[in-house]
Amino acid sequence: TQLLEQSPQFLSIQEGENLTVYCNSSSVFSSLQWYRQEPGEGPVLLVTVVTGGEVKKLKRLTFQFGDARKDSSLHITAAQPGDTGLYLCAGERGKDSSYKLIFGSGTRLLVRP
Amino acid sequence: GAVVSQHPSRVICKSGTSVKIECRSLDFQATTMFWYRQFPKQSLMLMATSNEGSKATYEQGVEKDKFLINHASLTLSTLTVTSAHPEDSSFYICSAMGEAFYNEQFFGPGTRLTVL
């Protein structure tokens, strides 16, 4: 079972459309990160949200952390083909020697031109 | 940002052989390195956490005798897949964390392992 469930698993949309990806858990995380990964490469950090209810914007991407720090969402406005990739949320657990990232199940996005 | 490299980027080996993958932090000292495995169309699964100079901590279900991890210096960690079998074929990704970048992991580009 996946500790962090993402939905949808796969999304194929037309260029210019808006979309939202959800990341849900029954556990509380100290913070949550969003990554984008392209085929054959490592994931690249997009944002870290720390405070419950926090909203962060990165150009056309809007990230929100749930009030209870158990869930998060990523909204993309006017999607472009360059947004195509695997989007991963990851929750931070522990600190110092016990620190680890728990990755979500992933959402594969395809933006068609 | 900090840079993490992996070598090799892809490797093909015969069943039963051992393969070593290197993970290097190029411009910072990595006190902690993580090893992940990613199967096709799936997410990253943490295999183990290694701190410089101490034994790695393995996640539940990961065989420590099969996946040997060595973190001998602050810039290098190695993962050796011993007696590899086709089911070990996967994308292996490392990440590194240093005191200068509190709680931010920098990921390597990954190593594609194919066991024939």
Side-chain angles (χ1 to χ4, degrees):
Chain A
T1 55
Q2 194 86 31
L3 195 59
L4 275 168
E5 290 288 346
Q6 287 184 235
S7 61
Q9 290 184 6
F10 178 72
L11 194 55
S12 177
I13 61 171
Q14 202 71 35
E15 180 177 3
E17 292 183 2
N18 302 331
L19 67 117
T20 302
V21 176
Y22 298 93
C23 173
N24 295 300
S25 175
S26 57
S27 302
V28 176
F29 292 96
S30 55
S31 64
L32 201 137
Q33 300 178 348
W34 283 92
Y35 292 82
R36 191 176 84 183
Q37 184 185 23
E38 302 202 20
E41 298 181 12
V44 176
L45 179 65
L46 297 174
V47 78
T48 301
V49 285
V50 179
T51 308
E54 181 177 6
V55 177
K56 278 191 175 178
K57 290 194 173 185
L58 188 66
K59 295 183 181 178
R60 294 176 294 100
L61 278 60
T62 302
F63 305 85
Q64 186 163 7
F65 201 12
D67 291 340
R69 306 207 322 272
K70 294 182 180 181
D71 52 79
S72 181
S73 64
L74 157 61
H75 182 80
I76 301 179
T77 304
Q80 299 176 1
D83 296 328
T84 293
L86 176 66
Y87 288 82
L88 297 160
C89 64
E92 293 186 313
R93 276 282 179 84
K95 57 181 178 180
D96 300 326
S97 61
S98 66
Y99 173 85
K100 65 173 74 172
L101 270 182
I102 308 296
F103 276 87
S105 47
T107 295
R108 198 165 295 275
L109 172 65
L110 173 64
V111 182
R112 305 185 306 274
Chain B
V3 180
V4 175
S5 70
Q6 282 184 240
H7 178 80
S9 57
R10 55 178 64 230
V11 56
I12 301 173
C13 70
K14 291 183 179 180
S15 187
T17 60
S18 294
V19 174
K20 181 185 283 190
I21 302 170
E22 292 185 350
C23 176
R24 292 182 185 272
S25 57
L26 298 185
D27 49 5
F28 70 103
Q29 293 187 328
T31 48
T32 306
M33 286 185 169
F34 302 86
W35 286 96
Y36 297 85
R37 184 165 55 181
Q38 185 176 31
F39 291 109
K41 300 189 188 304
Q42 293 188 23
S43 185
L44 277 71
M45 297 298 292
L46 179 64
M47 298 175 67
T49 302
S50 78
N51 293 292
E52 186 265 337
S54 60
K55 289 183 179 180
T57 302
Y58 290 80
E59 294 298 299
Q60 194 172 10
V62 178
E63 300 174 57
K64 59 182 179 182
D65 294 330
K66 181 167 184 62
F67 299 99
L68 301 178
I69 291 172
N70 185 284
H71 191 167
S73 78
L74 284 172
T75 59
L76 173 65
S77 176
T78 60
L79 167 67
T80 301
V81 183
T82 62
S83 187
H85 287 93
E87 57 266 30
D88 298 324
S89 298
S90 187
F91 194 51
Y92 291 87
I93 304 174
C94 74
S95 70
M97 224 164 62
E99 290 182 356
F101 306 98
Y102 179 69
N103 273 11
E104 182 170 359
Q105 290 187 32
F106 297 94
F107 286 82
T111 296
R112 171 80 55 199
L113 170 63
T114 302
V115 185
L116 302 176

